[in-house]
Amino acid sequence: MAADPLVPLLSLADVAPAVERARERVDAALRHRALRRQGGRVAAEVSLRSAIASAALEGHVHEREAVRAGVVTDPVLQGALRVAEALPALADRWPRAPRQVLARLHTLAAAGTVPPEALGRPVAGAAEGSTPLVAARLDILAGLVTGGTRVPQVLLAAVVHGELLALRPFAGPAGVVARAAGRLTLLAGGFDPRGLVAVDLGHREREPEYVGAANAFATGTPDGVRSWLRHYMTAVEIGAERMVEIADDVLG
């Protein structure tokens, strides 16, 4: 049997403890009493705020109440909202057909920002230089998502997110797709089965670190990968904290 390709990541300094802290923080947050009867309201607010944060990380910053009021027509923001709304329905398909789901995410995210014929179609990444290499990297990633690793789901989500940021296999708001794929991994794997952890808010709140760590991950060095994984676990913890704050607000 082939060795699990992601297991060595748990041996990087501070990564395993960070994964455990993120798991514990999320487990505690998901016990919030508001989720028993008001989980739907909490999930809807997390979805809205996550979409706004994801668009902001693409450079499209909008006030939350303006978005809530429906007066923001920015296509990147609208794409992020469509993606956020679609995630629960895509969770079952993600571990079975990740390439198809990625194409769907891109179609939702990039409509109105790229030509129609480019929607859902991978393109050559600047770092890779050729479409076959992009396709090969996506195949490897798809293999991980479909059962090619047994590491904790939050670690797999970090790798999925980081790899798609590094590869940027789609035209337009590729970061929206990468963040959505990370969240889908948490949803589908049972780490965050109701989509309540506002991890994109964690990325947004630590945006300079997010950008720097993502660039470090793209180098493929152990230190670069470690930097990204530690950032991701911190963002998950922040996302759990923000979910608790939202749940407290719902209880009033």
Side-chain angles (χ1 to χ4, degrees):
M1 182 178 295
D4 190 319
L6 299 189
V7 164
L9 300 183
L10 290 167
S11 298
L12 296 173
D14 302 323
V15 168
V19 168
E20 184 60 26
R21 285 194 303 271
R23 171 78 272 178
E24 291 174 355
R25 187 68 188 89
V26 168
D27 284 348
L30 293 178
R31 290 194 290 270
H32 196 289
R33 60 194 181 94
L35 303 182
R36 298 184 194 125
R37 296 186 179 180
Q38 302 291 339
R41 289 178 60 193
V42 175
E45 185 65 18
V46 167
S47 180
L48 174 70
R49 297 189 189 189
S50 295
I52 294 169
S54 189
L57 287 164
E58 293 293 291
H60 294 253
V61 180
H62 299 283
E63 292 294 329
R64 185 195 312 157
E65 295 311 312
V67 176
R68 196 190 308 278
V71 299
V72 180
T73 59
D74 173 13
V76 172
L77 183 278
Q78 290 299 320
L81 289 169
R82 289 191 295 268
V83 165
E85 183 180 5
L87 291 185
L90 293 172
D92 285 345
R93 288 174 58 195
W94 177 240
R96 295 184 284 108
R99 292 290 295 267
Q100 293 178 16
V101 173
L102 285 174
R104 179 59 180 160
L105 290 174
H106 182 247
T107 299
L108 293 170
T113 69
V114 303
E117 61 270 20
L119 294 174
R121 297 176 63 87
V123 298
E128 306 309 317
S130 68
T131 298
L133 285 176
V134 172
R137 292 271 292 271
L138 285 175
D139 285 342
I140 292 170
L141 192 64
L144 294 173
V145 172
T146 55
T149 181
R150 297 300 177 194
V151 298
Q153 283 295 307
V154 68
L155 185 63
L156 176 58
V159 171
V160 167
H161 185 157
E163 179 70 359
L164 288 172
L165 284 180
L167 190 56
R168 299 191 71 83
F170 298 102
V176 173
V177 176
R179 287 181 285 277
R183 290 191 67 200
L184 265 179
T185 305
L186 299 178
L187 272 162
F191 182 89
D192 178 25
R194 299 169 70 184
L196 294 167
V197 180
V199 60
D200 288 346
L201 272 66
H203 299 313
R204 172 63 172 154
E205 289 183 26
R206 301 176 74 99
E207 185 171 359
E209 179 183 281
Y210 174 74
V211 173
N215 289 337
F217 178 89
T219 68
T221 65
D223 283 346
V225 173
R226 172 178 171 269
S227 174
W228 169 252
L229 296 178
R230 290 184 63 189
H231 160 79
Y232 194 91
M233 300 311 149
T234 298
V236 169
E237 290 192 62
I238 293 171
E241 292 170 6
R242 298 297 165 263
M243 186 272 282
V244 168
E245 293 169 0
I246 291 168
D248 287 341
D249 288 343
V250 166
L251 285 181

